[in-house]
Amino acid sequence: MGMINVLPVLALALSQASTAQELQPAGAISPVVARCGPSNNMVCVNKFASVLPYHFFRNTSVLGNVLDFRDTSVPSDPSFELVTNASFVIFNREIGLDLLGANPTYDFVFKVTEAVHEAPVYVPSQGKLYLSRLAPPPGYLPQLVVDLNANPPTLSEYLPTPPIYAPNGGTSYGSGTKILFAASGGNNSIGDPPTEQRVSLRILDPATNESTVILNNYFGLYFNCIDDVAVHPVTGQIFFTDPDYSWFNKLTDTPPQLPTASYRFDPSTGATYLIDMSLQQPNGIAFTPDGETLYISDTGAVASSQGPTGPRGGDYNATRPATIYAFDVSNNGTRVDNKRAFYLSQSWVPDGLKVSREGLVLTGAGNGVDVLDEFGAMVMRIQTNYTVQNFAWVGDDLKELWMMGNGGISRVRWNVQGQELT
């Protein structure tokens, strides 16, 4: 038997290996991820993972399956697996480690229903955190309160008088003594005894549990779904967003009567002013501490595919807006202009929106909270095991962040400090 010439086979194998190596981009980062900081729940992403080794791939989210950066497949670099179980994923190492401090912690505190949980507002005088529970099921009136005085904290229901149907946004009001809720539900007869509820701005006095309507119409037309609300830190005027989610989510008995838009409301005169109607689904809204910049998120990626009067229910399309925009605010808070794109959400949509005392922009985006610098660059991400709708700072120094959403309530202790809201 003649000898087999193995040289061509060896040459082919070497050629294939060389070709595979050459297919990798010359600037590929290695390792992509490394442990950093004082605890094992923190990882740093090198150079924002701007050049990943081939073959990488990430699916887009769909309704019922929210995906984010951690779901990217990077088989050529095992270091990427460190992202999966990290509580804090840091993209800007210098700033991120400083903001997290020497001993940052993440704790899952309460398991809750898969309903949307929103509108968190901290009341310092009581040491309590109020929040809402929306559909499912539609028509549910009792809301939730976390007693932070207890150790461990406790979660219970409360019901204002009269009830507030589907608070979807909320903020501190009256120098922290009251709560301003954006009520997104509308129904001719709901509760026991039955009351009529309309999409409205409501003030709750937590000391007496009494609620008062301060706005419930635009020249006789119902608002669609007042989603979120912010108070200008200088003038005290109220800014709010009005998408049309309540009809899709069966929280109102009336189809949309107005285009989606954002408004300013002057409680001293009762006047309502249009500030923007360029966003598909205006959602989160927040001011910088000086009141000179306003952020509004557009969550148009989640919307009905049939239009505002079509069948109820919606869908998710990653090619539609999931974007935060910045606006200049001038003329004593009465002029809002110079709209510009600020951040495209890396996961799902930018839902709840807050600005820290340092000027960082935070947004609930899928299964976590993105922390952005003043230019819209990702500083870090808090990763959760549930979809976060909103969050609020609590405590004497406002360095404890409580997050809530579909199925969970959790908290972070770190150095990022909340604003003392009007």
Side-chain angles (χ1 to χ4, degrees), residues 109-110 122 126-131 144-149 153-156 158 402 404 409:
V109 185
F110 298 114
Y122 174 57
Q126 293 186 333
K128 294 181 178 180
L129 176 67
Y130 291 77
L131 63 140
L144 300 175
V145 59
V146 178
D147 188 346
L148 301 168
N149 302 295
T154 59
L155 181 67
S156 59
Y158 77 98
W402 281 67
M404 60 283 308
I409 298 176

Side-chain angles (χ1 to χ4, degrees), residues 3 13 29 49 62 68 108 129 145 154 189 201 238 277 281 297 314 326 344 363 376:
M3 295 183 62
I29 298 162
V62 296
D68 59 20
F108 186 88
L129 176 67
V145 59
T154 59
S189 180
L201 293 177
I238 299 168
M277 56 183 302
Q281 296 289 346
S297 66
L344 175 64
T363 185

Side-chain angles (χ1 to χ4, degrees), residues 307-318:
T309 58
R312 299 200 184 193
D315 66 2
Y316 176 80
N317 186 331

Side-chain angles (χ1 to χ4, degrees), residues 1 9 16 30 39 42 49 55 126 143 147 195 230 252 297 323 326 335 402 415:
M1 179 180 293
V9 178
Q16 290 175 337
S30 181
S39 64
M42 303 163 60
H55 173 67
Q126 293 186 333
Q143 302 305 325
D147 188 346
T195 60
T252 181
S297 66
T323 311
R335 184 184 299 277
W402 281 67
N415 280 348

Side-chain angles (χ1 to χ4, degrees), residues 123-143:
V123 179
S125 61
Q126 293 186 333
K128 294 181 178 180
L129 176 67
Y130 291 77
L131 63 140
S132 69
R133 173 174 50 197
L134 307 182
Y140 199 81
L141 288 176
Q143 302 305 325

